[in-house]
Amino acid sequence: MATESETAMKDERLQKDESSPVVAVNQLHKIFGSHVVLNGVSLSVNRGETLAVLGRSGTGKSVLLRIIIGLELPDSGSVNIHGQNIVALPLDQMGEIRKKMGFLFQHAALYDSLSVAQNVAFPLEHHRRGMSIAERDDRVKQLLSEVGMDGHLEDMPSDISGGMQKRVGLARALALEPDILLLDEPTAGLDPISSGEIDDLILKLQREHRMASIVVTHDLHSAKTIANRVALLDQGNVVINGNFEELYRSDIAFVKEFLKYSREEVCRE
Amino acid sequence: MSGRTVIAIKNTQASLSESLSKPPTSDGFSISRKINGFLEWFGGLGMFAWAVLRAGITPPYEWRELIRQFDNIGSMSFPLVALAGAAIGVVISMEARYSLSRFGAKSMFPATLVYSVIQVMGPIMTGLIVSGRVGAGIGAELASMKVSEQIDAIEASAVNPYKFLAATRILACILMLPLLTLAADASGLIAGWFAQNLVEPLSFQQFINSGFHGATFNEFLPPTFKTAVYGLIIGTIACFQGMRTRGGAEGVGRAATNSVVLASLFVILADVVLVKFILMVFP
């Protein structure tokens, strides 16, 4: 569990965040070689809000998440977390910022030499050093119970399905009680039932924890289920940034094409 | 700290082996490209080593992971190193007996075996065996973690992968190599004596007394402890190759191969320098 001072700091942060964006990216540019991945992307998310970032493959959705958590550096632009620009932040302070964020990787990225319980315990072992072993075990069980994985504590990641791995990844992402949750393709590669279960789980966690969330996905159906707002990226630019009604009413050719194929995909499912 | 350093290293390096394996072109730039690749690799290695050093000396320390690596690198290499040491001891014993007999210097056999094993063969053989076993293991493990985003996940959990993954493995290599060398030396001497004893009975007491007669610590400690440098080389190169891997299963294989090849090469080159250095400092 978080220490008293950490809890107090978090409460203070949350009060402040009710009125100001928790995550705000401004004019982000990123180029790999000659490929422009992000071309002046600006987005923001408030506490309790979920933003779905949609777009074709290779339009920089995952890169955007990686920049927000500091795994990539932008060529220019700023990333403000609780009002603090983390792009110019000294490297040792970046760790403190990351403790406020949970990240679910596209393929879960569980540590394959550790059991399910050890994976979830990993952030706690490193950042809750005052926690006793019994307290840590209880917290791990609670987190795994929240994501419906309480019967798999000793399983290895290779022994569980892709959907289960995502659930464990989600439990690990929530271990430090983050204010910000970043989800990279949470339903990619899953069957419709598992996708629906993951969506329901994310929705439940959102209601309980009221985090600011950014979900990168191709899956419009999933995005509609879990997000309040949507941003559509095309060739490194944000072409829509608003609610789903705005998306459906848009006359932009790319948006219409994206919706056409997304609907077909939903029908096929 | 690590995210940006990883990016910087990723962006500024080209693998030595990759650059060496590029087909030569007729445009006259291939040599300069190879030299650039070589220098970039060294630059990247230097930046990596600096990042690991800075992360490694900053508390809190990763004691549990370090102990796990002692076991991985030390205990698990012990049987292989001891067996190889015994084989080398037997070979030296047979060769020395034959050569010394030709010159009527059979009484020199114990000293020849002791000096050959402890000063020359034990350290370099341990270095090369650990390069193969541990270098490939670390290179493949970290490369696999890299391509499956596990290293990114460690960073995203606000844990420094240079400290957690690299510093622990490099330190374990540095500390375990001299101990493994002692194990290789001991098994080499015992096996060499045993081989000699089968042909021409000689008590172990006599063998040790005669072999170490007039010997000083300066003759035996530096060759043993120089293997800590081999450990530094093996650990650093294997972690560097693993953590900068790109490109799926092929990248993992390449990282493992490059780790072994480069670590072995640099261990041999370091041996040349260290032998000269030891002879100068401990004449």
Side-chain angles (χ1 to χ4, degrees), chain A residues 66 87 91 98 112 126-127, chain B residues 1 4 62 152 155 157-158:
Chain A
R66 291 173 66 82
V87 173
L91 300 172
R98 284 179 178 145
D112 51 19
H126 286 84
H127 303 301
Chain B
M1 72 163 297
R4 289 130 216 262
E62 301 286 353
D152 287 338
E155 264 193 277
S157 299

Side-chain angles (χ1 to χ4, degrees), chain A residues 132-150:
Chain A
S132 70
I133 293 173
E135 284 173 333
R136 196 168 63 214
D137 289 349
D138 286 346
R139 174 79 178 134
V140 168
K141 281 179 193 159
Q142 181 208 335
L143 285 161
L144 285 171
S145 168
E146 274 192 63
V147 298
M149 288 294 292
D150 38 353

Side-chain angles (χ1 to χ4, degrees), chain A residues 33-72:
Chain A
S34 59
H35 180 47
V36 179
V37 178
L38 298 176
N39 190 19
V41 169
S42 298
L43 296 167
S44 66
V45 192
N46 293 328
R47 183 174 177 236
E49 191 176 54
T50 300
L51 172 72
V53 180
L54 299 169
R56 297 180 64 179
S57 300
T59 48
K61 304 186 298 295
S62 296
V63 172
L64 176 66
L65 284 194
R66 291 173 66 82
I67 288 174
I68 290 172
I69 202 164
L71 293 173
E72 301 273 356

